[in-house]
């Protein structure tokens, strides 16, 4: 189950059940015994059964309103308090922050790669490019060298 704080498919559904299928053959469904669900925490709960409403209320604001949400609360606390299971638990904010950090890192790496390619085109040598990266991208020498070698390996 993946809890999402936005409607990934923009269909105003509270949840989406995903089914695995064979790539290239959408008519062939794979029954692997899993049920994968995306829960849209911002979906219209008024159209849902009481248990779904209770679940949405709990995951949106942490309010326990009945037996079902009390059981959810206990399960969430158990996961958070278990060192091994806790590694897999992430709040929406933590997930968003991690995704944002990955995006920034990818953007930075792409800027570095474009810069290195441009400097190579201008016939700068390896040492000049590394110095440029250190001075303009706030990299240390090892990071600049790694960026240079990564780009040149794929050039």
């Amino acid at each position: 189950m993946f809890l999402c704080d936005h409607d990934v498919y923009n269909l105003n559904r509270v949840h989406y059940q995903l089914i695995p299928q064979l790539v290239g053959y959408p008519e062939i469904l794979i029954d692997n015994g899993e049920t994968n669900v995306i829960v849209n925490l911002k979906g219209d709960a008024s159209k849902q059964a009481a248990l779904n409403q209770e679940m949405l209320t709990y995951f949106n604001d942490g309010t326990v309103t009945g037996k079902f949400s009390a059981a959810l609360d206990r399960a969430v606390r158990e996961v958070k308090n278990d060192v091994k299971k806790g590694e897999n638990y992430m709040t929406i904010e933590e997930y968003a922050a991690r995704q944002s950090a990955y995006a920034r890192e990818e953007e930075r790496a792409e800027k570095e790669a474009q810069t290195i390619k441009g400097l190579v085109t201008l016939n700068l040598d390896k040492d000049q490019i590394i110095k440029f990266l250190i001075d303009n991208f706030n990299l240390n020498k090892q990071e600049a060298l790694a960026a240079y070698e990564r780009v040149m390996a794929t050039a």
Side-chain angles (χ1 to χ4, degrees):
M1 182 183 303
F2 179 74
L3 304 177
C4 193
D5 70 343
H6 65 281
D7 191 346
V8 293
Y9 301 110
N10 295 316
L11 297 172
N12 199 30
R13 304 261 329 256
V14 173
H15 69 279
Y16 300 98
Q17 184 173 348
L18 308 176
I19 55 171
Q21 63 190 61
L22 188 59
V23 174
Y25 300 91
E27 70 279 4
I28 300 177
L29 303 179
I30 310 299
D31 182 10
N32 61 2
E34 281 186 11
T35 300
N36 296 298
V37 177
I38 297 174
V39 177
N40 172 15
L41 295 176
K42 303 303 180 196
D44 185 358
S46 67
K47 297 178 183 174
Q48 298 299 311
L51 287 181
N52 282 351
Q53 290 178 8
E54 191 176 340
M55 177 184 69
L56 291 177
T57 299
Y58 174 76
F59 283 121
N60 274 311
D61 62 23
T63 303
V64 174
T65 58
K67 289 181 182 179
F68 181 67
S69 56
L72 282 174
D73 188 57
R74 282 191 302 277
V76 167
R77 289 178 193 280
E78 179 183 321
V79 168
K80 283 182 174 181
N81 293 328
D82 183 295
V83 174
K84 279 197 176 253
K85 290 179 185 175
E87 292 173 2
N88 296 321
Y89 178 84
M90 201 179 325
T91 66
I92 291 169
E93 291 81 8
E94 290 167 335
Y95 177 78
R98 183 177 290 178
Q99 291 304 103
S100 179
Y102 288 148
R104 283 191 306 273
E105 177 61 28
E106 286 178 10
E107 184 178 308
R108 183 191 60 76
E110 182 59 30
K111 284 181 182 178
E112 288 173 4
Q114 292 303 318
T115 300
I116 292 167
K117 289 174 185 176
L119 295 173
V120 167
T121 303
L122 295 173
N123 294 320
L124 272 68
D125 67 26
K126 178 179 177 178
D127 292 332
Q128 291 171 312
I129 293 171
I130 290 174
K131 181 174 180 354
F132 184 91
L133 293 173
I134 292 169
D135 294 343
N136 294 282
F137 284 88
N138 296 322
L139 301 176
N140 63 39
K141 188 169 184 171
Q142 184 178 6
E143 292 167 330
L145 181 59
Y148 175 84
E149 289 175 351
R150 184 173 50 252
V151 170
M152 297 311 290
T154 60

